[in-house]
Amino acid sequence: MADEQEVVLSERERQCLRWVEEGKSSWAIGVILKVSENTVNFHVKNAMRKLETSSRTQCVVKARRQRLI
């Protein structure tokens, strides 16, 4: 289970999740980070996979609980 293993998020994954936590859309995060919306989605989906979550909200909550963001 992901809770038992140490999950490591990249700096970009953490940045994207912090903005998701603020309620920003992928498009808005892309503008802020100067990357495409697809790139933002790529990083968020990687974080979701690593944390074994199925939604952006669930991913942010789990990352916050594990002190990853």
Side-chain angles (χ1 to χ4, degrees):
M1 238 178 136
D3 290 338
E4 296 167 4
Q5 298 172 0
E6 182 159 347
V7 176
V8 178
L9 297 179
S10 72
E11 180 59 31
R12 215 37 149 183
E13 290 164 352
R14 289 195 307 270
Q15 287 174 336
C16 289
L17 287 183
R18 284 188 202 108
W19 286 113
V20 168
E21 185 176 33
E22 295 294 321
K24 300 292 185 190
S25 67
S26 293
W27 179 85
I29 297 168
V31 170
I32 293 165
L33 299 179
K34 296 178 176 54
V35 296
S36 75
E37 184 176 356
N38 286 338
T39 300
V40 172
N41 288 333
F42 172 80
H43 291 302
V44 172
K45 286 179 182 175
N46 278 344
M48 288 170 59
R49 179 184 50 77
K50 289 178 181 180
L51 290 167
E52 298 176 349
T53 57
S54 56
S55 75
R56 291 163 66 111
T57 304
Q58 201 179 21
C59 188
V60 167
V61 169
K62 196 165 184 179
R64 179 60 65 196
R65 283 183 180 158
Q66 293 185 18
R67 302 184 191 283
L68 298 172
I69 59 172

